[in-house]
């Protein structure tokens, strides 16, 4: 039976860290920039379609304006020219993109200040500094540079030296010094109060944001909200106005009130992806409540600009079709919605692209969503008994996504072909999935059961798996995060600070260990809680993984208990393990929940894989299923071991 169909976009692969050269080193407004990017072409699944994304920040708006240039292969390098630096840009961030794969220099990105002659433009050092404050500083996952408070402070100091009257710099500098533990809370409050008395430009969004943040830090939330509301009224299409409207939507007290507010949001901000996301959240809520009629009514009420032949967002239509397809009585309606989505995606409409998304990124998002919708369409047709039509839809999905088609998508095609009596075609798809490292359990089983000669088919399977090894290693290298989290400093509620590597984990017999003590080993941390259902489901697989590496002295697997809602966590965990005597893996307690917070965990189970230097290289959220977990976890551990 077909397992899953995608209701949203697929996951994005990680960074690979090639080398990017930028000429001139001091870009000027209105002048061209030349780029030379060097990386092993084998890192990309589509090496002839490589783009450079340019995120141009100005000194007024919060979000950047995104541009792109297609890079041409020249021997072992990729080259391209950006025709002219935008006149209002003060700072540029760069990353390389190829389909779903990208290179963001291991989270560091590449960058350039924009210069006026021999001096950086006003706000250049400030925007560069802000980029080192993490995703919250940019608001966008696509430009979430790895946080570095030391670098941010250094750049803010340069900004003050070159442009001493730049007000947002002064606010940010005070905040960074406080975060670094250099000034007390009372010193911070005094500094912010003084800065709020200085003259400021009420038409500059960055200055408004700086004042608003200062007011909130001082506990004056209502004054901050009034400041933001007033700016949003004056500049109703600004980035801040959109955020104010989103906050208004989030404050709705009932689903019906939320529906009315997000409709207004979608009418005002027609190119914002947040409109579709909020509609999707509401539809998901109605579906979870079993209120299909309300979900359908919500989708049908999505506002379409006057004079535009359009539809609700295809992702929303796809989500509804995915939910309906499992009920025979709703198959016709599911078919209607998914065909509506497919038709809507036939035309590439870049007018709906958000300003901060590069054209190549947006085109890929549309291509990926189109592939997902074809997969859903095929599944609907298959459920309706139209197998030949389903096969064509599944083939179109693979054609669109190419090497990025998931194992589930290939399984759908293989199963439909087998059901249609096209055995050899089905097995050809299975071979392709296995040889590229994308095969899931049912695909493998179908292949292994396809011949009575079990020895021969097993030998062919192992040969195909060996072919998949380079592709798997490439994907693993792309996923590597290279995040030195253990060296990051955090602040406790009492104001004291600590390095994550020095945070304490406690064994069940009371011994205390720190992650820094485990340097020299490959470490797997699995954050879990006794009340977490998916955590418990994953534990038999964690036990098998532990048994596999138990005798390997330079591998440490730790299950880190966190977020328990009991008074005596140690005794509670002891009782849990006593009732599950087959679990012999090491368990430690994050008694103050400092480690789980430092790693930025928002849901469990979440696993982190650290290399011998204590650097986080892989992160896995949730549990992919026993049939794939052991193999994927082993591949990651072996890569970090250098095997």
């Amino acid at each position: 039976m077909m397992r899953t169909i995608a209701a949203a976009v697929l996951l994005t692969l990680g960074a690979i860290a090639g080398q990017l050269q930028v000429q001139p080193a001091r870009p000027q407004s209105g002048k061209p920039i030349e780029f030379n990017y060097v990386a092993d072409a084998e890192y990309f699944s589509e090496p002839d379609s490589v783009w450079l994304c340019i995120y141009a920040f100005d000194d007024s708006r919060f979000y950047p304006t995104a541009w792109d240039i297609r890079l041409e292969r020249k021997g072992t390098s990729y080259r391209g020219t950006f025709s002219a630096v935008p006149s209002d840009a003060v700072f540029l961030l760069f990353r390389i993109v190829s389909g779903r794969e990208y290179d963001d220099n291991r989270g560091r990105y590449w960058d350039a200040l924009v210069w006026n002659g021999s001096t950086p433009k006003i706000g250049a050092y400030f925007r560069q500094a802000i980029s080192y404050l993490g995703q919250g500083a940019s608001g966008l996952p696509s430009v979430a540079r790895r946080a570095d408070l030391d670098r941010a402070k250094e750049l803010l100091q340069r900004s003050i030296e070159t442009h001493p009257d730049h007000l947002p710099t002064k606010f940010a500098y005070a905040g960074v010094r406080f975060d670094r533990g250099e000034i007390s809370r009372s010193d911070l409050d005094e500094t912010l109060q003084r800065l709020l008395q200085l003259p400021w430009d009420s038409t500059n969004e960055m200055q408004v944001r700086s004042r608003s943040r200062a007011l909130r830090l001082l506990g004056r939330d209502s004054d901050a909200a009034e400041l933001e509301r007033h700016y949003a009224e004056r500049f109703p299409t600004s980035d801040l106005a959109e955020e104010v409207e989103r906050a208004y939507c989030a404050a709705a007290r009932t689903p019906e009130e939320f529906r009315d507010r997000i409709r207004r949001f979608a009418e005002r901000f027609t190119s914002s992806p947040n409109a579709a996301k909020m509609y999707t959240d509401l539809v998901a809520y109605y579906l979870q409540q079993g209120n299909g009629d309300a979900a359908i009514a919500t989708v049908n009420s999505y506002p379409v600009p006057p004079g535009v032949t359009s539809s609700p967002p295809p992702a929303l239509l796809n989500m509804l079709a995915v939910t309906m397809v499992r009920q025979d009585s709703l198959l016709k309606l599911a078919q209607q919605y998914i065909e509506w989505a497919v038709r809507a995606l036939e035309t590439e409409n870049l007018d709906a692209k958000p300003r901060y998304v590069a054209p190549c990124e947006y085109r890929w998002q549309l291509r990926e969503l189109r592939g997902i919708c074809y997969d859903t369409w095929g599944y609907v047709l298959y459920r309706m008994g139209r197998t030949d039509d389903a096969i064509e839809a599944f083939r179109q999905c693979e054609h669109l996504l190419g090497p990025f088609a998931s194992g589930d998508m290939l399984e759908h095609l293989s199963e439909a072909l087998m059901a249609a009596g096209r055995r050899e075609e089905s097995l050809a798809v299975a071979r392709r999935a296995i040889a590229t490292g994308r095969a899931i359990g049912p695909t493998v089983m179908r292949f292994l059961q396809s011949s009575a000669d079990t020895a021969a088919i097993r030998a062919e399977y192992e040969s195909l798996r060996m072919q998949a090894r380079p592709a798997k290693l490439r994907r693993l290298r792309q996923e590597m995060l290279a995040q030195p989290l253990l060296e990051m400093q955090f602040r406790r509620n009492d104001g004291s600070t600590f390095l994550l590597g020095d945070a304490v984990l406690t064994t069940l017999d009371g011994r205390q260990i720190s992650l820094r003590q485990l340097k020299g080993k490959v470490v797997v941390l699995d954050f879990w809680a006794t009340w977490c259902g998916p955590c418990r489901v994953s534990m038999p697989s964690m036990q098998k993984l532990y048994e596999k590496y138990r005798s390997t002295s330079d591998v440490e697997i730790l299950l880190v208990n966190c977020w328990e809602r009991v008074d005596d966590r140690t005794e509670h965990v002891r009782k849990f393990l006593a009732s599950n005597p087959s679990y012999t893996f090491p368990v430690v307690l994050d008694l103050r929940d400092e480690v789980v917070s430092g790693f930025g965990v928002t849901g469990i189970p979440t696993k982190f894989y650290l290399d011998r230097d204590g650097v986080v290289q892989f992160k896995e959220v949730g549990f992919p299923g026993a049939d794939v977990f052991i193999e994927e976890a082993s591949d990651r551990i072996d890569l970090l071991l250098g095997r």
Side-chain angles (χ1 to χ4, degrees):
M1 179 179 177
M2 296 193 176
R3 291 159 47 101
T4 58
I5 45 182
V9 295
L10 303 175
L11 295 177
T12 303
L13 299 179
I16 60 177
Q19 295 180 336
L20 181 68
Q21 297 174 340
V22 182
Q23 292 293 335
R26 294 183 172 185
Q28 307 282 325
S29 293
K31 301 295 184 181
I33 309 178
E34 294 184 354
F35 298 92
N36 184 39
Y37 174 70
V38 179
D40 186 347
E42 293 183 359
Y43 276 122
F44 294 116
S45 299
E46 297 180 331
D48 292 321
S49 181
V50 177
W51 298 76
L52 175 79
C53 294
I54 303 164
Y55 305 96
F57 294 83
D58 59 45
D59 193 40
S60 177
R61 295 177 296 183
F62 184 53
Y63 297 122
T65 299
W67 307 78
D68 66 18
I69 57 172
R70 184 163 188 163
L71 300 178
E72 300 295 330
R73 291 180 69 176
K74 303 287 185 181
T76 59
S77 65
Y78 293 85
R79 297 178 183 176
T81 301
F82 187 41
S83 59
V85 175
S87 60
D88 59 352
V90 301
F91 172 64
L92 308 173
L93 270 180
F94 312 114
R95 73 169 183 160
I96 306 295
V97 171
S98 178
R100 201 192 318 147
E101 298 166 333
Y102 64 87
D103 183 355
D104 63 3
N105 195 22
R106 302 290 190 201
R108 295 184 293 268
Y109 290 74
W110 295 275
D111 66 13
L113 304 176
V114 181
W115 295 68
N116 270 333
S118 60
T119 305
K121 294 181 71 172
I122 296 175
Y125 279 129
F126 168 72
R127 292 312 300 246
Q128 187 180 29
I130 294 301
S131 74
Y132 281 103
L133 297 182
Q135 180 177 335
S138 70
L140 302 172
S142 59
V143 285
R145 196 175 210 173
R146 186 189 303 165
D148 186 340
L149 284 180
D150 292 339
R151 180 66 171 152
K153 179 189 174 184
E154 174 191 342
L155 292 168
L156 289 170
Q157 288 173 328
R158 291 187 188 178
S159 182
I160 291 173
E161 292 168 1
T162 55
H163 300 100
D165 295 328
H166 191 254
L167 195 56
T169 297
K170 296 179 179 180
F171 279 109
Y173 186 62
V176 167
R177 291 193 65 204
F178 174 72
D179 290 338
R180 287 167 49 86
E182 296 177 2
I183 60 175
S184 66
R185 182 60 197 237
S186 60
D187 290 336
L188 174 66
D189 291 352
E190 181 181 341
T191 301
L192 296 179
Q193 293 280 16
R194 176 174 53 80
L195 293 176
L196 286 170
Q197 303 305 313
L198 297 177
W200 62 290
D201 181 0
S202 63
T203 67
N204 184 296
E205 182 178 327
M206 292 304 295
Q207 293 199 27
V208 172
R209 287 178 180 272
S210 296
R211 291 181 64 84
S212 173
R213 182 172 183 272
L215 289 169
R216 293 188 189 281
L217 286 171
L218 292 169
R220 296 167 57 183
D221 289 2
S222 59
D223 291 340
E226 178 62 21
L227 174 65
E228 294 167 352
R229 185 191 61 78
H230 182 65
Y231 181 87
E233 289 177 351
R234 293 181 65 190
F235 304 98
T237 61
S238 64
D239 297 336
L240 184 56
E242 179 178 339
E243 292 181 22
V244 169
E245 192 72 16
R246 281 165 53 195
Y248 175 69
C249 293
R253 290 165 293 184
T254 66
E256 292 71 28
E257 188 177 31
F258 184 60
R259 179 196 60 211
D260 294 340
R261 292 184 180 187
I262 63 176
R263 179 179 175 84
R264 188 179 85 162
F265 180 95
E267 290 171 341
R268 292 185 60 186
F269 302 98
T270 55
S271 65
S272 172
N274 292 302
K277 183 181 184 304
M278 287 190 289
Y279 263 84
T280 300
D281 290 343
L282 181 58
V283 169
Y285 168 79
Y286 281 135
L287 292 173
Q288 289 170 359
Q289 299 297 312
N291 194 345
D293 290 341
I296 292 172
T298 300
V299 172
N300 291 337
S301 70
Y302 192 91
V304 176
V308 176
T309 302
S310 184
S311 69
L316 195 58
L317 297 170
N318 181 72
M319 175 187 178
L320 204 55
V322 167
T323 304
M324 293 175 171
V325 72
R326 304 186 190 283
Q327 301 181 50
D328 291 344
S329 61
L330 296 177
L331 276 176
K332 282 288 187 182
L333 197 55
Q335 179 188 11
Q336 172 187 326
Y337 279 115
I338 195 58
E339 289 182 353
W340 195 3
V342 170
R343 285 197 303 271
L345 288 165
E346 288 176 352
T347 302
E348 189 178 87
N349 179 20
L350 291 182
D351 292 339
K353 180 188 75 66
R355 185 186 83 245
Y356 46 79
V357 176
C360 66
E361 295 174 303
Y362 191 68
R363 282 191 294 268
W364 166 253
Q365 291 172 10
L366 294 178
R367 171 183 156 189
E368 186 172 44
L369 181 55
R370 193 178 176 201
I372 290 171
C373 288
Y374 266 104
D375 183 57
T376 303
W377 194 12
Y379 186 63
V380 171
L381 293 169
Y382 186 78
R383 289 272 287 112
M384 296 176 74
R386 295 170 55 183
T387 306
D388 289 339
D389 292 335
I391 289 170
E392 291 308 308
F394 290 141
R395 286 201 184 280
Q396 185 65 16
C397 167
E398 186 182 8
H399 171 73
L400 285 165
L401 298 183
F404 304 115
S406 70
D408 283 307
M409 292 171 173
L410 295 179
E411 164 59 16
H412 294 165
L413 176 56
S414 178
E415 180 184 342
L417 286 166
M418 189 65 77
R422 296 156 67 172
R423 180 177 179 278
E424 291 306 315
E425 292 179 71
S426 173
L427 294 179
V429 174
R431 287 186 178 93
R432 187 160 65 249
I434 297 168
T436 55
R438 290 179 286 168
I440 63 174
T443 309
V444 173
M445 290 301 297
R446 181 179 301 108
F447 181 76
L448 292 176
Q449 295 171 1
S450 65
S451 172
D453 189 342
T454 55
I457 199 69
R458 171 61 67 173
E460 183 182 1
Y461 171 67
E462 293 300 332
S463 175
L464 291 169
R465 284 189 64 208
M466 290 302 296
Q467 293 179 38
R469 186 68 178 168
K472 278 192 171 184
L473 288 176
R474 174 169 56 82
R475 285 202 295 271
L476 284 173
R477 292 192 182 100
Q478 290 171 339
E479 291 174 6
M480 293 179 75
L481 302 173
Q483 294 180 344
L485 291 183
L486 302 193
E487 305 306 320
M488 292 191 65
Q489 187 179 73
F490 295 88
R491 184 182 297 276
R492 298 186 176 95
N493 292 333
D494 62 6
S496 62
T497 60
F498 67 97
L499 293 177
L500 184 57
D502 297 328
V504 170
L505 296 171
T506 305
T507 64
L508 290 175
D509 59 6
R511 291 184 298 108
Q512 293 186 338
I513 59 174
S514 70
L515 295 179
R516 195 178 305 282
Q517 292 174 280
L518 300 176
K519 277 192 174 183
K521 296 184 178 183
V522 172
V523 178
V524 181
L525 301 177
D526 181 15
F527 290 94
W528 69 285
T530 57
W531 49 262
C532 168
C535 299
R536 296 195 300 270
V537 170
S538 72
M539 283 184 170
S541 295
M542 286 301 298
Q543 178 65 29
K544 290 179 181 178
L545 185 69
Y546 169 67
E547 291 172 357
K548 181 175 181 178
Y549 290 96
R550 177 164 44 190
S551 60
T552 305
S553 60
D554 45 1
V555 174
E556 191 80 35
I557 296 175
L558 296 176
L559 276 77
V560 184
N561 179 264
C562 61
W563 295 347
E564 292 291 356
R565 305 158 182 164
V566 295
D567 294 331
D568 190 341
R569 183 179 296 187
T570 303
E571 184 60 26
H572 182 71
V573 173
R574 277 204 191 103
K575 289 181 179 179
F576 173 82
L577 293 174
S579 64
N580 294 275
S582 62
Y583 297 155
T584 60
F585 41 60
V587 172
V588 292
L589 309 174
D590 185 11
L591 292 175
R592 300 176 67 173
D593 289 332
E594 288 183 345
V595 178
V596 68
S597 175
F599 274 90
V601 175
T602 57
I604 51 177
T606 295
K607 298 171 182 61
F608 293 89
Y609 298 74
L610 284 65
D611 65 19
R612 297 177 191 270
D613 294 322
V615 176
V616 175
Q617 295 293 3
F618 300 106
K619 175 182 178 180
E620 179 181 69
V621 180
F623 181 58
D627 56 344
V628 297
F629 170 73
I630 296 294
E631 183 173 353
E632 290 183 351
S634 299
D635 286 341
R636 290 168 178 158
I637 293 172
D638 290 346
L639 178 63
L640 297 181
L641 286 172
R643 293 178 177 175

